[in-house]
Amino acid sequence: MEFGDVWRRRRIGWLLVLIISMGIFARKGEGQLVENFYKSTCPNVEQIVRQAVQNKFSQTTITIPATLILFFHDCFVEGCDASVMISSPSGDAVEAACLDRVSCADILALAARDAVVLTGGPNFNVELGRRDGLISKASSVDRNLPSPNFDLNALTSMFARHGLSQTNMIALSGAHTIGASHCNCFFDRLFSTSGVDPSLNPAYAEQLKQVCPRNVDPSVVVKLDPTTPNTFDNLYYRNLMNRKGLFRSNEVLFTSSASKGTVVGFANNERQFNTTFVEAMQKLGRVGVKTGRAGEIRRDW
């Protein structure tokens, strides 16, 4: 083999390595989000969203938990791309100010943060730059969301599929401090053939039976945090320690040895919970994001 042939082959090899490396870096960068993404295209977007959330909150308190659960469901179904939010009432505040510049996915991420802050939770910066998804299927919803009866392994596995750790999962569960549920999601814990679920606090179970009797109105809802239902705090975890977790998937966080320590830590240290919750929310907001041609800026038609 001539020296020139060896040199040419080595040069080609180096070029291939360089091209592959550049491709890897490009793919990694494509899904990155940044703060102040709309600094030049819609500089007031955060103030607009915050005001809209405040206005809606003044009309109905269900706005806050509904916004948080919508954000969580959106990220778990098709990634954080607003695939579960394909229509809205006319007169969208952001669209009126910045037509075709801000995605619904980013609006939802900002609204979720504002929902936390409005109820006394921690403030934090939101990474932006998502595009709205092009796919929305009802059949994708149930199979991608955790059940109220999941055990710890099922919860951990589902969150792990989205790159979220068990600690992330336990912290995000803390959003139930301001949530609510219909009776059918925990009815079997009260009226099973074997009686009341023994992991439930007996006094709490009796309270639940008063609100959710056997022939309950399906519109009735129960607060997930019976202590401070409208305040974002760490009392949700103290409730778990007192066997007042409404769902099995709530209470199992304390009854399982692998997660019990984290629950106790959050219950005893609100600052630790807030810090970990913020980290988990920011990590959740990166799940399955679309950028560039992978998505669109959806209009409110």
Side-chain angles (χ1 to χ4, degrees):
M1 182 183 294
E2 296 293 329
F3 177 76
D5 292 335
V6 173
W7 172 251
R8 280 193 294 272
R9 290 191 179 189
R10 286 182 177 176
R11 187 179 180 187
I12 291 171
W14 291 336
L15 286 171
L16 286 172
V17 171
L18 179 61
I19 291 169
I20 292 171
S21 298
M22 289 176 66
I24 291 172
F25 291 140
R27 286 194 297 274
K28 284 183 178 178
E30 284 174 0
Q32 289 181 345
L33 306 176
V34 296
E35 297 172 15
N36 298 318
F37 182 83
Y38 299 104
K39 183 177 181 180
S40 60
T41 57
C42 190
N44 296 323
V45 63
E46 294 206 30
Q47 292 90 330
I48 295 170
V49 172
R50 185 176 299 113
Q51 187 60 56
V53 174
Q54 289 176 336
N55 292 344
K56 194 65 178 178
F57 180 51
S58 67
Q59 298 170 13
T60 171
T61 57
I62 198 65
T63 294
I64 301 302
T67 301
L68 269 179
I69 198 67
L70 183 62
F71 178 62
F72 172 78
H73 285 190
D74 180 50
C75 293
F76 263 43
V77 173
E78 291 285 350
C80 305
D81 64 353
S83 64
V84 300
M85 187 176 69
I86 58 175
S87 65
S88 64
S90 59
D92 181 273
V94 175
E95 191 170 272
C98 305
L99 185 64
D100 292 338
R101 279 175 272 173
V102 183
S103 67
C104 296
D106 278 345
I107 293 172
L108 181 54
L110 289 169
R113 183 273 309 276
D114 295 337
V116 171
V117 176
L118 273 174
T119 48
N123 197 0
F124 56 94
N125 295 329
V126 177
E127 298 171 326
L128 302 168
R130 301 166 187 81
R131 303 277 284 188
D132 297 323
L134 304 174
I135 299 172
S136 182
K137 297 180 179 179
S139 59
S140 301
V141 176
D142 288 341
R143 69 171 182 267
N144 287 299
L145 297 176
S147 162
N149 288 318
F150 268 12
D151 62 18
L152 184 65
N153 288 337
L155 287 169
T156 302
S157 296
M158 176 168 279
F159 277 72
R161 289 201 296 271
H162 298 287
L164 297 163
S165 69
Q166 185 178 94
T167 299
N168 295 150
M169 177 268 291
I170 298 171
L172 290 171
S173 175
H176 283 168
T177 185
I178 54 172
S181 169
H182 290 282
C183 296
N184 66 300
C185 292
F186 58 88
F187 192 80
D188 60 328
R189 300 188 72 195
L190 302 175
F191 299 105
S192 71
T193 55
S194 57
V196 174
D197 185 338
S199 66
L200 267 176
N201 180 304
Y204 181 51
E206 288 305 313
Q207 292 174 13
L208 293 176
K209 284 184 176 181
Q210 297 302 313
V211 181
C212 296
R214 289 185 181 274
N215 298 313
V216 65
D217 183 336
S219 66
V220 171
V221 295
V222 176
K223 299 291 187 179
L224 288 160
D225 177 354
T227 310
T228 54
N230 299 315
T231 302
F232 192 97
D233 55 29
N234 66 334
L235 293 191
Y236 162 77
Y237 299 102
R238 297 185 190 180
N239 290 333
L240 298 186
M241 294 174 66
N242 290 321
R243 296 163 57 198
K244 294 182 179 181
L246 191 62
F247 300 153
R248 282 195 178 92
S249 59
N250 294 150
E251 195 59 47
V252 74
L253 300 180
F254 179 69
T255 57
S256 296
S257 58
S259 52
K260 182 176 182 178
T262 304
V263 169
V264 173
F266 289 162
N268 293 332
N269 190 329
E270 188 167 40
R271 179 177 295 181
Q272 179 189 355
F273 161 57
N274 285 340
T275 298
T276 310
F277 178 81
V278 167
E279 293 171 352
M281 281 288 285
Q282 291 175 327
K283 197 171 178 180
L284 173 65
R286 301 176 191 132
V287 171
V289 296
K290 280 84 175 171
T291 58
R293 295 180 181 179
E296 64 176 352
I297 300 296
R298 190 181 306 135
R299 274 199 182 190
D300 176 21
W301 293 103

